[in-house]
Amino acid sequence: MLVKKEVSFLHGNILTKEMLNETYVYPRDFVELKYCDYSDGIIAGLDFVENDGTTYLTKGIVKFKGEYYFLLEDINLTSYFLEMHKQQNWSTKLYYLYLKSSTPIKVDSIIVQNLDLYVSEECKQDDLFLLCRFYGGKDNMELPQLNGNEEKEPFKKLTDDNLYVNMIDTLYAMPGKATYHPFLFKAVAEYLEQKPNKSILDNVILMQIQNMKVLSIDAMKTYINAVGCDDEKATNRKELFDSFIKCLKKEEEQKTFLEKNKENEHLKSRRHNGPKGMLL
């Protein structure tokens, strides 16, 4: 049986334990039903944005070890970066920004457990949730951008340049297996929008990102195999994303080759079918 409940808070009435319990259980059940089959990762928000030279982490929801944590206000990462840089005197090397679970605190029968920002030089710590990798030698956490002017490596700043924030290993929750952060797929969409003579597969990928912000890992592998690349060689998230990007560029190169070949065939046809001289 399906059920819908409403709690009425009338002026002068006494709040009962059952009324308060319903205000807690109902929204919690909604979140659990909607995302129970999702992997750990970012459920919504927690995007990296830059405004007037300041980098922010937007409010959102994270699923971590099966529990849901809510960030209700944007975090000024630039201020955090500058303060931590002074305290810890970061050197010119790579650091990892995590969310770390705090010790639960009980206040008036309410148990509060936070995920706090935490910086470490070590990567892949299972008891922490990774937000990004960054370079400690700058005065800000600089976000990467697609370099459309660089034909050979337009995604280099997003995947391989250590001077910029890197989100390759940031988990975004999906049914089954976590995918990549929407920040990366936004760059993919930008690349495809600029790509001339897009194929049917290109348009399918672009529409999926425009509708859902992300692609599932399975969808990426299907695209890779359809284009003719081999995704079995990818042993980690970085290699899989590189393979996906390689296929985007490979298909464009194939398209260019086919267009040139078609032009050559057309020229040959014109020469063969053109007017012939008259023998006298």
Side-chain angles (χ1 to χ4, degrees):
M1 178 185 294
L2 300 178
V3 63
K4 176 180 179 293
K5 294 183 179 180
E6 292 185 8
V7 180
S8 297
F9 296 97
L10 301 178
H11 180 70
N13 281 9
I14 297 175
L15 296 180
T16 66
K17 179 180 178 181
E18 289 75 17
M19 293 169 66
L20 294 174
N21 189 57
E22 285 297 332
T23 63
Y24 166 76
V25 171
Y26 193 77
R28 185 178 180 87
D29 285 347
F30 170 79
V31 173
E32 178 61 30
L33 286 170
K34 184 172 177 61
Y35 298 111
C36 63
D37 62 340
Y38 276 55
S39 66
D40 276 1
I42 297 170
I43 294 289
L46 271 80
D47 198 4
F48 293 83
V49 298
E50 190 174 304
N51 187 9
D52 293 332
T54 300
T55 303
Y56 295 91
L57 181 68
T58 64
K59 56 189 175 183
I61 308 172
V62 171
K63 184 177 181 180
F64 181 55
K65 295 186 177 181
E67 298 291 338
Y68 301 93
Y69 297 84
F70 298 81
L71 177 62
L72 302 180
E73 295 182 354
D74 295 350
I75 296 177
N76 186 328
L77 288 179
T78 298
S79 295
Y80 175 81
F81 184 95
L82 293 174
E83 182 63 29
M84 295 300 294
H85 203 295
K86 291 179 182 178
Q87 293 181 13
Q88 301 186 13
N89 192 26
W90 289 336
S91 60
T92 55
K93 56 184 177 182
L94 296 177
Y95 293 88
Y96 297 85
L97 180 64
Y98 292 100
L99 291 175
K100 182 178 182 180
S101 181
S102 65
T103 302
I105 301 174
K106 188 174 183 179
V107 180
D108 296 332
S109 300
I110 299 175
I111 298 175
V112 179
Q113 186 167 10
N114 296 326
L115 290 180
D116 300 320
L117 293 179
Y118 174 76
V119 175
S120 173
E121 298 179 26
E122 300 179 9
C123 65
K124 296 183 179 179
Q125 299 190 46
D126 294 336
D127 57 333
L128 306 175
F129 182 85
L130 178 66
L131 285 174
C132 68
R133 186 185 75 202
F134 66 93
Y135 180 66
K138 289 191 171 186
D139 57 359
N140 192 9
M141 299 178 71
E142 190 169 353
L143 300 180
Q145 293 181 343
L146 181 75
N147 188 358
N149 296 324
E150 181 57 56
E151 295 182 2
K152 292 184 178 180
E153 295 182 287
F155 291 88
K156 182 177 180 179
K157 290 182 179 179
L158 291 110
T159 59
D160 295 298
D161 196 330
N162 290 332
L163 297 179
Y164 297 90
V165 171
N166 186 293
M167 289 165 260
I168 283 291
D169 290 316
T170 306
L171 301 181
Y172 193 85
M174 290 284 284
K177 189 171 185 178
T179 187
Y180 298 87
H181 196 285
F183 191 96
L184 298 176
F185 287 113
K186 184 178 179 181
V188 171
E190 184 181 346
Y191 176 81
L192 288 174
E193 287 170 353
Q194 299 172 3
K195 182 178 177 180
N197 302 318
K198 288 183 280 294
S199 69
I200 294 176
L201 280 176
D202 288 334
N203 283 306
V204 169
I205 291 295
L206 179 57
M207 287 189 293
Q208 178 70 7
I209 296 174
Q210 289 171 339
N211 287 332
M212 303 298 294
K213 294 186 179 181
V214 297
L215 296 172
S216 69
I217 296 295
D218 288 340
M220 294 175 68
K221 289 183 176 181
T222 299
Y223 176 82
I224 291 170
N225 292 328
V227 173
C229 299
D230 184 8
D231 67 290
E232 294 182 359
K233 296 180 180 179
T235 60
N236 55 51
R237 288 171 60 89
K238 170 69 166 58
E239 291 179 358
L240 180 63
F241 193 81
D242 284 345
S243 181
F244 178 70
I245 296 306
K246 181 181 177 182
C247 288
L248 290 177
K249 296 189 294 183
K250 178 182 177 182
E251 190 169 342
E252 185 172 15
E253 291 166 1
Q254 288 178 336
K255 191 83 174 179
T256 303
F257 172 78
L258 291 173
E259 288 174 349
K260 290 181 179 179
N261 190 51
K262 187 175 180 180
E263 290 176 1
N264 291 335
E265 291 295 330
H266 181 66
L267 288 174
K268 289 180 182 179
S269 178
R270 288 184 60 185
R271 290 170 186 165
H272 180 73
N273 300 323
K276 297 180 181 179
M278 182 179 297
L279 295 177
L280 299 176

